[in-house]
């Protein structure tokens, strides 16, 4: 890769007029000079296009009918020229040195570099933690091995990834069946085409608000069904591409990551009639969750004990007692202060 690679920042937007300007400003404010900023508006019905027009030739606008996330990614990638590409959700924003830090850390043959994101609220105020939560480092190196073993790896949402154009050529265009989950399509497939680098500092902001697709702002069964549907699709995609590349994946791939199991547990307990895996049973999921923690996770024994207790509690308790545990796990902002204080003390003892 050349000494000064071009970094393309592709902002995908749909009806986020209230956030879009901050996202564009953050892309234009990069301290690394060799960048281009592309803004794809995917058929917004608010005043987003007026916001875009104000930037003139400082950005490259792509205005298209609504085709969902995959269509926006495909259009942005087709228009871009960068060696390294960052897809920035228009409700998020980047810190000024992200492009510079990524280029400095980039090595030949990498498929991507990911970095943490500081979690903020709808007005941009920090929530006091980064994404992903916890102290586990972001996955790095030959991440494809972990991916094929447990079906996931420790990574970040869309705006926390800088992707190699060479790797992206193997997976674009994104099929329409992933029109709502194009970010996860890339997260699953890109590591199969090169090593992954990691920067542990937050280099951007991930905004939690009421219209965010994935952030848990309320504990509702339909949201967990979306997580389960997303996980099932992710495993199917990985199995298909692994087969094409001559790799094998384990038959129980979908149950080897405890996070995937606790989404299924939450979905099943909150609304068993609408749960997407009819064969699931609470006690069986508790078993698979505990198994995944102790056999496949990198957590220390204290965390494994705590989360094992969560699986057992949610698996056997009546819903009025199980639901608070679901809420406190998935939405830290709902935890009572004594619970948050206790957990913070436990984290200090375990570190």
């Amino acid at each position: 890769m050349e000494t000064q690679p071009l970094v393309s920042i592709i902002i995908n937007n749909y009806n986020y007029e209230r956030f879009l300007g901050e996202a564009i400003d953050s892309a234009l404010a990069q301290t690394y000079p060799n960048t281009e900023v592309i803004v794809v508006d995917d058929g917004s019905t608010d005043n987003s296009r007026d916001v875009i027009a104000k930037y003139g030739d400082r950005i490259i606008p792509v205005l298209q009918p609504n085709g969902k996330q995959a269509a926006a990614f495909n259009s942005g990638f087709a228009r871009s020229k960068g060696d390294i590409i960052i897809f920035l959700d228009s409700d998020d924003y980047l810190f000024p040195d992200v492009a510079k830090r990524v280029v400095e850390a980039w090595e030949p043959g990498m498929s991507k570099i990911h970095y943490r994101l500081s979690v903020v609220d709808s007005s941009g105020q920090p929530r006091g933690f980064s994404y992903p939560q916890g102290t586990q480092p972001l996955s790095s190196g030959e991440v494809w091995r972990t991916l094929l073993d447990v079906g996931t790896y420790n990574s970040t949402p869309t705006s926390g990834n800088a992707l190699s154009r060479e790797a992206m050529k193997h997976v674009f265009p994104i099929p329409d069946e992933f029109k709502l989950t194009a970010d996860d399509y890339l997260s699953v497939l890109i590591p199969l085409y090169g090593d992954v680098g990691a920067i542990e500092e937050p280099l951007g902001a991930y905004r939690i608000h009421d219209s965010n697709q994935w952030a848990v702002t309320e504990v509702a069964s339909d949201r967990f069904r979306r997580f389960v549907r997303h996980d099932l699709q992710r495993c199917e995609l990985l199995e298909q591409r692994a087969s094409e590349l001559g790799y094998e994946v384990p038959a129980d791939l979908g149950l080897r990551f405890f996070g995937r199991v606790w989404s299924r547990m939450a979905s099943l307990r909150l609304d068993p009639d609408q749960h997407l895996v009819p064969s699931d049973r609470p006690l069986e999921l508790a078993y698979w969750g505990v198994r995944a923690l102790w056999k496949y996770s990198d957590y220390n024994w204290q965390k494994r004990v705590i989360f094992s207790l969560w699986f057992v509690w949610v698996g056997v308790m009546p819903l009025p007692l199980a639901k608070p545990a679901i809420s406190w796990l998935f939405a830290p902002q709902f935890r009572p202060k004594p619970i948050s204080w206790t957990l913070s003390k436990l984290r200090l003892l375990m570190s």
Side-chain angles (χ1 to χ4, degrees), residues 84-155:
I84 300 170
I85 294 173
I86 297 172
F87 286 109
L88 173 62
D89 285 338
S90 59
D91 53 341
D92 298 337
Y93 57 90
L94 300 174
F95 296 166
D97 61 345
V98 59
K100 178 176 180 290
R101 294 288 302 278
V102 165
V103 170
E104 288 174 347
W106 199 272
E107 296 180 3
M110 278 186 166
S111 63
K112 75 170 187 173
I113 288 178
H114 49 186
Y115 42 86
R116 292 186 180 274
L117 297 171
S118 177
V119 177
V120 300
D121 64 17
S122 59
S123 63
Q125 293 300 309
R127 298 298 298 266
F129 58 97
S130 65
Y131 197 100
Q133 296 185 57
T135 58
Q136 289 294 110
L138 296 171
S139 298
S140 61
E142 294 182 326
V143 170
W144 65 271
R145 296 184 183 276
T146 302
L147 190 57
L148 295 178
D149 185 41
V150 296
T152 191
Y153 58 99
N154 199 27
S155 188

Side-chain angles (χ1 to χ4, degrees), residues 28-49:
L28 292 172
Q30 291 301 303
T31 58
Y32 180 76
N34 198 19
T35 62
E36 63 175 6
V37 179
I38 300 167
V39 182
V40 182
D41 185 75
D42 192 47
S44 292
T45 57
D46 61 5
N47 294 317
S48 290
R49 295 193 176 185

Side-chain angles (χ1 to χ4, degrees), residues 319-334:
L319 184 58
L321 293 176
K323 189 172 181 179
I326 296 172
S327 175
W328 300 341
L329 175 66
F330 287 95
Q333 64 269 29
F334 295 150

Side-chain angles (χ1 to χ4, degrees), residues 23-242:
I24 296 175
D25 289 342
S26 75
L28 292 172
Q30 291 301 303
T31 58
Y32 180 76
N34 198 19
T35 62
E36 63 175 6
V37 179
I38 300 167
V39 182
V40 182
D41 185 75
D42 192 47
S44 292
T45 57
D46 61 5
N47 294 317
S48 290
R49 295 193 176 185
D50 293 335
V51 174
I52 292 170
K54 292 177 183 178
Y55 288 89
D57 61 4
R58 299 173 65 198
I59 64 174
I60 301 170
V62 178
L63 310 179
Q64 64 183 35
N66 183 249
K68 308 302 181 185
Q69 189 185 50
F73 281 19
N74 287 339
S75 298
F77 180 61
R79 190 67 181 269
S80 70
K81 298 178 180 178
D83 307 287
I84 300 170
I85 294 173
I86 297 172
F87 286 109
L88 173 62
D89 285 338
S90 59
D91 53 341
D92 298 337
Y93 57 90
L94 300 174
F95 296 166
D97 61 345
V98 59
K100 178 176 180 290
R101 294 288 302 278
V102 165
V103 170
E104 288 174 347
W106 199 272
E107 296 180 3
M110 278 186 166
S111 63
K112 75 170 187 173
I113 288 178
H114 49 186
Y115 42 86
R116 292 186 180 274
L117 297 171
S118 177
V119 177
V120 300
D121 64 17
S122 59
S123 63
Q125 293 300 309
R127 298 298 298 266
F129 58 97
S130 65
Y131 197 100
Q133 296 185 57
T135 58
Q136 289 294 110
L138 296 171
S139 298
S140 61
E142 294 182 326
V143 170
W144 65 271
R145 296 184 183 276
T146 302
L147 190 57
L148 295 178
D149 185 41
V150 296
T152 191
Y153 58 99
N154 199 27
S155 188
T156 56
T158 305
S159 304
N161 293 271
L163 310 177
S164 159
R165 186 177 201 86
E166 288 303 311
M168 292 170 71
K169 290 177 181 178
H170 293 283
V171 302
F172 269 77
I174 301 172
D176 190 60
E177 64 190 281
F178 296 96
K179 62 184 178 182
L180 297 177
T181 54
D183 50 350
D184 205 58
Y185 173 89
L186 296 177
S187 177
V188 169
L189 296 187
I190 289 293
L192 298 176
Y193 297 98
D195 286 356
V196 173
I199 299 174
E200 292 297 333
E201 301 168 45
L203 295 180
Y206 177 70
R207 196 187 305 266
I208 291 180
H209 55 90
D210 291 342
S211 3
N212 183 285
Q213 182 179 4
W214 297 110
V216 178
T217 56
E218 61 178 345
V219 177
S221 59
D222 61 338
R223 189 164 288 259
F224 290 109
R225 279 197 302 276
R226 189 185 310 158
F227 291 162
V228 174
R229 183 180 296 109
H230 159 85
D231 285 337
L232 294 173
Q233 185 185 43
R234 177 189 181 105
C235 288
E236 183 180 358
L237 171 66
L238 182 56
E239 290 168 358
Q240 177 184 343
R241 187 57 61 101

Side-chain angles (χ1 to χ4, degrees), residues 14 17 23 43 75 148 262 287:
Y14 175 70
E17 168 196 359
S75 298
L148 295 178
W262 66 32
Y287 162 76

